[in-house]
Amino acid sequence: SRSPRHAEITLVGLLHGLGELLIHLSDPERVQSLNTLVPPLDLRRCKVEMRIFGYCYSRVTAALARRWQLPEMVVDALSYQHAPFENHAYEPLAGVIHLAVWRVRVHELGLDERERVVSFPDEVALALGLDIDIVLQQDPLDWHDQSAPFLPRL
């Protein structure tokens, strides 16, 4: 897979959660029930959505991106953001968004250090040449300066 450009990184960051909103708009009662099982930021959210709806927010967002004829790299990143290695070919941009979303979730959920370490997607980070300290302490757009050369300098 080729290296993402700044525009693709920004676009994926902006669109990544759109599917969650669309699911909520299409079936608010079932989403309210889902929210009692797992809150929107819960790390297990996509898996539970798959069981209840048969799809999850990331696949809905990717379907829109495909319909809008966005680049395949963007569609793949959006589709596999919840599980970057499930794709037929690993898309680094899916890994970046996966780690960035994890970072926001642990912050918003107020996870303590042990919970962060246990939930850290280390395989995704390893594939990008990142560690938990870099992911937690730096903005995702600054990860390039560490060891993720596929990210463009901004």
Side-chain angles (χ1 to χ4, degrees):
S1 105
R2 64 186 186 82
S3 297
R5 296 184 315 262
H6 179 254
E8 291 160 331
I9 294 168
T10 302
L11 184 59
V12 169
L14 290 171
L15 294 178
H16 80 276
L18 184 59
E20 192 71 45
L21 175 62
L22 293 176
I23 291 171
H24 184 81
L25 290 172
S26 70
D27 199 345
E29 286 90 27
R30 278 189 16 185
V31 170
Q32 189 58 38
S33 296
L34 171 65
N35 288 344
T36 61
L37 293 172
V38 287
L41 294 178
D42 192 291
L43 298 170
R44 302 164 297 163
R45 181 68 177 218
C46 189
K47 288 180 183 176
V48 175
E49 285 178 355
M50 290 294 287
R51 280 195 311 236
I52 291 174
F53 300 115
Y55 52 86
C56 72
Y57 67 92
S58 63
R59 300 292 163 86
V60 173
T61 306
L64 282 173
R66 185 171 286 110
R67 182 172 206 150
W68 295 334
Q69 299 178 352
L70 295 178
E72 197 61 29
M73 173 191 289
V74 170
V75 173
D76 282 350
L78 292 168
S79 187
Y80 295 98
Q81 63 178 295
H82 67 283
F85 296 117
E86 286 184 6
N87 196 358
H88 63 279
Y90 175 70
E91 173 51 61
L93 189 51
V96 171
I97 197 68
H98 184 81
L99 289 174
V101 168
W102 173 85
R103 180 178 183 250
V104 168
R105 286 179 171 169
V106 299
H107 175 73
E108 290 298 317
L109 294 171
L111 299 185
D112 63 30
E113 185 176 351
R114 184 187 132 337
E115 292 169 316
R116 284 187 223 144
V117 169
V118 168
S119 69
F120 183 64
D122 52 351
E123 289 181 3
V124 176
L126 182 62
L128 296 172
L130 300 170
D131 63 34
I132 191 169
D133 293 324
I134 292 169
V135 172
L136 287 173
Q137 295 171 9
Q138 294 185 3
D139 186 276
L141 294 175
D142 294 332
W143 293 345
H144 176 277
D145 294 331
Q146 296 307 312
S147 52
F150 63 89
L151 290 173
R153 288 191 177 277
L154 303 175

